[in-house]
Amino acid sequence: MTADTRHLIPGTSERSERELLTVNMGPQHPSTHGVLRLELRLDGEVVVHCRPVIGYLHTGIEKTFEAKTYVQGVVLTDRMDYLNPLGNNLAYALSIEKLIGCEIPERATVLRVLLAELTRIASHLMFVGSIALDLGASSPFLYVWREREKILDFFERISGVRMMTSFIRPGGLVRDIEPAIVSDISRFIDEMPAYIDSYEELLTANPIFRERTEGIGGLSADDALALAVTGPTLRASSVDFDVRKSNPYCGYETYDFAIPTGTVGDCYDRYLVRVAEMRESVKICRQALDRLTEGSVRTEDRKVMPPPREELAKSMEAVIHHFKLWTEGIKPPPGEAYVGVESPRGELGFFVVSDGTGRPIRVHERAPSFANLQALPKLTEGGMVADVVACIASLDPILGEVDR
Amino acid sequence: MTANVETLRSAFASAEIGLPADGIPTIRVPLVELTSAVQRVTRDLGFNRFVDLTAIDRLTSEERFELVYLFYSMQRHTWLRLKTRTDSEAPSITEQIPGANWYEREVWDLFGVRFEGHPELRRIMLPDDWQGHPLRRSEPLGFEPVDFTVTRDVYGGVGSQVSGLGEHA
């Protein structure tokens, strides 16, 4: 960390002598990706001061966790980052599994990687579509939506729900995935690189798109680290940090993939990093599909996952386990656990504190969007007001996760 | 990981160092040493990335809130947790680590722990005129009853006021 970080603290920069105009951007503004409000102080068209105001989507999710059992809590995680529901399920499940210390079958781990990467592709598709739409190009949105629909259709076939799947739970998965769905996913993964080429044809070399993003909203590596920024935003500022590589979970160390990084950390770099990440995710999905073996997708630990139906008719012990799980829930030993994972937006982790009962005393989400959004004043101040839109879109914040 | 804990033991001779279930070394320091501990962790020990700050309401009569700081070393690729206990106040670390700005505001908003020296300690999630700090475990969960004919005897009809779960649970 550099010694002088005062310029990163809002309100300490020098004030302009000229009369400033205060403009409220949002909370109901199509380019603010949810309900984000920005208090802008403008000198003509130049942004002198930008103050993000959040909390419009605050629903007290962390408080609600304390009144739910551990498995009921999974449902809340979907609703935090609604573009990365399976990734949030995974982060929450990993923290609880770490607390209990239970083993997950190989097939469940591979399927978790596959689902997490499919979710990452779906989330980055949304990013590509929305940054193009915010900058005035409406057609890429239609194309990326087409592929995103296919991924959501897979989720619907797997879990019955398109977005709020709650499919990854402590102890494994809810149920197995049918071979027909796996082969359809495989076909989709084969087609995906050509689709990514077609989005790049529309945007990457597009002179208008480049003019609106190149050199806009620059963020240096030192500033990004000081502001606790993670994910593609940090990697675009040339820091090759990815939790999947540096602290692997779910066996990511055995997959072959690269960490795309940017050079200058402007909006264009953040776009390029995410598009390159989609290609890497496709590679990971392919490897996961190739190593998929037969087997159970639920842990054998009966204190975490209920016994299969057929056992209930034969075993008294199974009936007791079933009854205890559905009346009292999982009871992790007293303690706390945090497992960091790489969400499409950065380092995501659930800090879960147990007192040994069936309900947590504290669940805190380390939300990547929350930290990344702190960098917005740094990105926008000194730039033009029209570029604020590009800066917000390039951070790809999800306000459901920021406000919780 | 054990070598890491040994390094920490020599750096924090007097502090209590634990290794919880997730394997992240955890240092407990008294509140007065927090600022110097953060400085040592981020500068001398190389845990240069601030990750997270939150609080746990332990519901004890003294030093009720446990502040939990999480740091990460970009060189050694490990996390480090720093803990301290407080009644209602703590020194702010935003001057040293700008990334802690919103995290301290969040803990102030939801737990009511005041961070001394924070540049603008205002509510962040809740409206400015909100009363109370909802993540304290002494605060009731609170809900608005939905008007069903079968629940009218319990909660009354449309427009009746119910303040919290405590009165009806």
Side-chain angles (χ1 to χ4, degrees), chain B residues 62-92:
Chain B
E62 273 178 32
E63 301 198 315
R64 177 176 168 177
F65 301 104
E66 187 167 64
L67 296 177
V68 186
Y69 295 80
L70 192 63
F71 295 94
Y72 187 86
S73 165
M74 296 296 280
Q75 282 81 41
R76 272 175 287 168
H77 296 302
T78 49
W79 283 282
L80 175 76
R81 197 177 279 135
L82 195 64
K83 281 186 171 184
T84 186
R85 296 285 288 255
T86 175
D87 285 318
S88 59
E89 278 183 9
S92 167

Side-chain angles (χ1 to χ4, degrees), chain A residues 1 6 9-10 51 54-55 63 226 228 230 241 246-247 336-338 347 362 364 366 374 402-404, chain B residues 22 48-52 54-55 72 77 79 83 95 99 101-102 106 111 119 122 124-125 134 136 139:
Chain A
M1 202 165 293
R6 288 189 61 82
I9 301 164
R51 207 185 76 175
I54 63 169
K63 181 81 175 174
T230 49
F241 170 70
S246 58
N247 306 80
E336 57 205 31
Y338 171 91
E347 179 179 334
R362 178 92 175 96
H364 169 72
R366 195 278 169 190
Q374 285 192 98
V402 174
D403 294 346
R404 281 158 284 148
Chain B
D22 53 10
N48 51 351
R49 184 165 70 85
F50 168 82
V51 182
D52 194 21
T54 190
Y72 187 86
H77 296 302
W79 283 282
K83 281 186 171 184
E95 288 280 325
N101 184 341
W102 284 17
E106 189 187 348
F111 285 94
R122 294 179 302 110
I124 184 163
M125 296 295 178
R136 289 184 174 190
E139 294 270 320

Side-chain angles (χ1 to χ4, degrees), chain A residues 55-236:
Chain A
Y56 292 92
L57 279 182
H58 181 67
T59 46
I61 288 180
E62 289 183 2
K63 181 81 175 174
T64 313
F65 266 116
E66 295 169 17
K68 305 279 177 210
T69 65
Y70 286 90
V71 174
Q72 284 172 335
V74 176
V75 178
L76 299 170
T77 64
D78 290 314
R79 283 147 180 84
M80 292 175 154
D81 183 348
Y82 40 76
L83 289 187
N84 180 38
L86 285 153
N88 278 31
N89 295 165
L90 178 62
Y92 180 66
L94 285 174
S95 283
I96 292 167
E97 284 156 10
K98 191 72 115 183
L99 206 49
I100 306 167
C102 83
E103 289 294 312
I104 306 303
E106 173 66 15
R107 182 175 168 86
T109 307
V110 175
L111 282 175
R112 281 177 169 192
V113 170
L114 175 68
L115 292 171
E117 293 307 319
L118 277 177
T119 317
R120 189 184 316 276
I121 296 172
S123 174
H124 283 348
L125 284 174
M126 176 70 195
F127 161 79
V128 172
S130 63
I131 193 170
L133 192 66
D134 288 348
L135 298 179
S138 51
S139 51
F141 196 79
L142 304 174
Y143 293 109
V144 298
W145 216 247
R146 181 184 61 193
E147 272 68 66
R148 194 178 119 88
E149 276 300 304
K150 291 176 188 167
I151 295 177
L152 294 189
D153 282 346
F154 290 137
F155 293 164
E156 188 175 11
R157 286 169 70 193
I158 289 165
S159 68
V161 192
R162 291 161 59 77
M163 282 177 77
M164 308 302 167
T165 57
S166 305
F167 191 66
I168 297 173
R169 295 198 189 161
L173 303 177
V174 174
R175 65 171 81 87
D176 205 353
I177 299 181
E178 288 168 26
I181 307 174
V182 174
S183 60
D184 284 354
I185 293 176
S186 181
R187 198 171 316 125
F188 171 74
I189 288 301
D190 289 338
E191 292 165 359
M192 196 59 202
Y195 288 132
I196 300 175
D197 290 341
S198 71
Y199 317 140
E200 285 221 73
E201 273 168 35
L202 286 170
L203 288 175
T204 304
N206 183 321
I208 303 172
F209 182 73
R210 291 185 69 150
E211 207 148 297
R212 289 297 308 274
T213 52
E214 270 180 316
I216 305 293
L219 186 65
S220 72
D222 282 344
D223 286 356
L225 279 173
L227 284 164
V229 165
T230 49
T233 313
L234 179 63
R235 288 192 285 276

Side-chain angles (χ1 to χ4, degrees), chain B residues 8-9 11-12 15-18 24-29 37 41 45 47 67 69 80-84:
Chain B
L8 296 175
R9 286 242 161 78
F12 288 89
E16 186 190 327
I17 300 174
I24 298 175
T26 302
I27 309 173
R28 285 176 189 279
V29 293
V41 160
L45 294 172
F47 289 87
L67 296 177
Y69 295 80
L80 175 76
R81 197 177 279 135
L82 195 64
K83 281 186 171 184
T84 186

